[in-house]
């Protein structure tokens, strides 16, 4: 009779791989990885660009064509880092739902949708940028303008809406269950709705300008929760959580 059968016969459950410290708590790194990768994408894009920076809200078709014709390396490096950021955000949000025991609840559904929207829209924004890199020189004005607008909305308003939903839902569940670190989730109850409300920039274009501030508010929450998980302050519930 093997070791697992002896344990079962004695009434003790066999050890699970997901309970190993490296797997059980490793997902806490992903929120931090997202923040680092996203900030690095902005720095790299700025350092590698050729000529003037591209500010999408005000960019003309001519400016879009010129930027994508001269700054291909900047676009590719920035895109690679943002793909990493999108993957990291998904890998952070999905285990968080399980750790909060929110699966099957309304808040858990909001958390799941928030995770999918914020990671998926960032990835979709990257795809728009890569398509622009391929077609900007020869596509029609409407195509170039439309892709630029789509990249702006997906990487800005839609991404922040998803992040706001994730933060708000997770913080509401955690606060009700007195989850630690408490300051992070108290902060999230205030910041989450603000981050989600920044999506109004779709209807009120001037609201695009303060988007970096909303990103910073979200980043503080993500890093705070990630550090809490890694320090075991986050009282995980022992479910199977993917690494």
């Amino acid at each position: 009779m093997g070791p697992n059968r002896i344990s079962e016969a004695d009434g003790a459950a066999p050890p699970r791989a997901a309970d190993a410290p490296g797997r059980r708590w490793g997902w806490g790194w992903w929120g931090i990885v997202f923040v680092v990768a996203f900030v690095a994408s902005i720095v790299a894009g700025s350092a590698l660009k050729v000529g003037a920076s591209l500010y999408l809200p005000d960019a003309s078709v001519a400016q879009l064509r010129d930027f994508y014709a001269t700054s291909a390396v900047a676009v590719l490096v920035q895109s690679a880092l943002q793909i990493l950021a999108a993957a990291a955000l998904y890998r952070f949000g999905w285990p968080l739902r399980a750790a909060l025991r929110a699966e099957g609840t309304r808040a858990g559904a909001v958390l799941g949708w928030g995770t999918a929207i914020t990671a998926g829209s960032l990835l979709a924004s990257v795809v728009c940028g890569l398509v622009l890199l391929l077609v900007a020189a020869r596509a029609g004005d409407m195509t170039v303008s439309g892709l630029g607008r789509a990249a702006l909305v997906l990487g800005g308003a839609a991404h922040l809406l998803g992040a706001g939903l994730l933060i708000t839902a997770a913080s509401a569940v955690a606060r009700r269950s007195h989850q630690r670190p408490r300051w992070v989730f108290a902060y999230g109850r205030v910041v989450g709705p603000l981050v989600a409300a920044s999506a109004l920039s779709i209807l009120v274009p001037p609201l695009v300008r303060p988007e970096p501030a909303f990103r910073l508010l979200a980043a503080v929450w993500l890093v705070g929760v990630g550090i809490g998980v890694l320090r075991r302050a986050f009282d995980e519930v022992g479910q199977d959580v993917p690494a």
Side-chain angles (χ1 to χ4, degrees), residues 185-207:
F185 296 114
Y187 167 84
R189 290 290 298 274
V190 176
V191 165
L194 291 176
V195 174
S198 68
L200 290 172
S201 62
I202 296 175
L203 302 175
V204 186
L207 289 179

Side-chain angles (χ1 to χ4, degrees), residues 138-168:
R138 59 182 183 276
D141 288 356
M142 287 187 63
T143 300
V144 173
S145 177
L147 285 169
R149 176 64 180 170
L152 172 66
V153 172
L154 289 167
H159 171 66
L160 288 170
L161 173 62
L165 293 175
L166 189 165
I167 293 169
T168 301

